[in-house]
Amino acid sequence: MTDHSPMTPQTVDAGDGPDEIDPPRITRQRHELRRRTLSVARTERLTPHMIRLTVEGPELDGFISGAPDDHVKLFIPDDSAEGQARRDYTPRRYRDGQLLLDVVDHPGGPAADWAREVAVGDTVEIGGPRGSQVIEGGIAHWLLIGDETALPAIGRRIEETPADGAVTSLVAVPGAADEQQFDTKATLDARWLHRPLAEAADPAPYLKALEGITLPPRCFVWIAAEAGVTRAIREALLQRGHPKHWMKASGYWVRGEADASVKSMED
């Protein structure tokens, strides 16, 4: 599948305060949409609830992922009428002709079931990314909030933040063994919440943890989790007076709905 639309970047200025200098901006980039057939080069049990796949192949030539929260569509063999399930995954890293995809291992997920059994040399198909939303501007500090599904995007943002940047991350995972280490030059304050996967749609642990986090000047907040959780966190931060144009919030999944998401939460 190929999208022949022009790849002209489109910039949206999110700042509307007269006293702001170099406010955050979201630059939207459109990429050629291609479906690629690749092969699995490596599988790794990264943590008890995360499987990392390394995929490669000649069709990765020209692959572009311009932002840490991009997503590709992963086509998974399935027993449905179409014969395939489709799920969104973050390009965790693309380097030296290899693409990393991190899959959350949880019961009942077709992608998780597939990732547990896939072997080196197996074929995998991906599509996209369709585009990127690059967050720019005078951001002095990042606050990254999310759950397991957001961890690949959060990890990539942490690792791509330059040495003069600062990041605070607040991530919910089942236990200490699911915490990850990040290779970054930025100043990082990594905070972890431990709760069972069965309670992943409960915003209470995040809201309690946020009470102990100070939002420094020029702090951009990025949130991605279950849609209801994301909405509750965003509302709590708005009530604290954090400007909405200094936030980006997404529901990466919706409780009780398969393959559902809320790409952007805005008033």
Side-chain angles (χ1 to χ4, degrees), residues 76-209:
I76 306 147
D78 187 64
D79 293 332
S80 66
E82 294 184 359
Q84 286 184 323
R86 305 177 184 186
R87 295 292 186 270
D88 289 343
Y89 282 93
T90 299
R92 178 60 176 81
R93 186 175 69 220
Y94 177 55
R95 184 187 301 164
D96 300 328
Q98 293 189 324
L99 175 65
L100 302 187
L101 300 172
D102 289 353
V103 180
V104 178
D105 189 1
H106 63 99
D113 292 344
W114 170 81
R116 282 192 296 270
E117 301 298 329
V118 73
V120 172
D122 286 354
T123 296
V124 59
E125 289 185 291
I126 66 168
R130 182 185 296 271
S132 304
Q133 294 189 19
V134 181
I135 305 171
E136 302 172 302
I139 299 167
H141 196 106
W142 291 88
L143 173 57
L144 310 174
I145 307 172
D147 62 11
E148 300 87 353
T149 63
L151 192 48
I154 289 173
R156 179 172 164 184
R157 172 72 68 185
I158 289 170
E159 293 183 352
E160 293 184 2
T161 300
D164 60 352
V167 182
T168 299
S169 60
L170 179 63
V171 182
V173 292
D178 292 291
E179 298 178 8
Q180 296 185 17
Q181 299 294 318
F182 306 109
D183 182 11
T184 182
K185 296 179 180 179
T187 300
L188 173 62
D189 177 9
R191 307 189 184 197
W192 300 90
L193 304 175
H194 299 156
R195 53 90 181 100
L197 280 175
E199 298 176 11
D202 181 5
Y206 298 92
L207 299 179
K208 182 174 178 58

Side-chain angles (χ1 to χ4, degrees), residues 48-91:
H49 292 90
M50 190 73 76
I51 300 169
R52 172 165 291 177
L53 305 178
T54 302
V55 298
E56 62 184 7
E59 293 188 18
L60 272 176
D61 288 350
F63 181 85
I64 298 173
S65 176
D69 55 356
D70 286 352
H71 67 268
V72 296
K73 191 72 71 174
L74 179 64
F75 298 89
I76 306 147
D78 187 64
D79 293 332
S80 66
E82 294 184 359
Q84 286 184 323
R86 305 177 184 186
R87 295 292 186 270
D88 289 343
Y89 282 93
T90 299

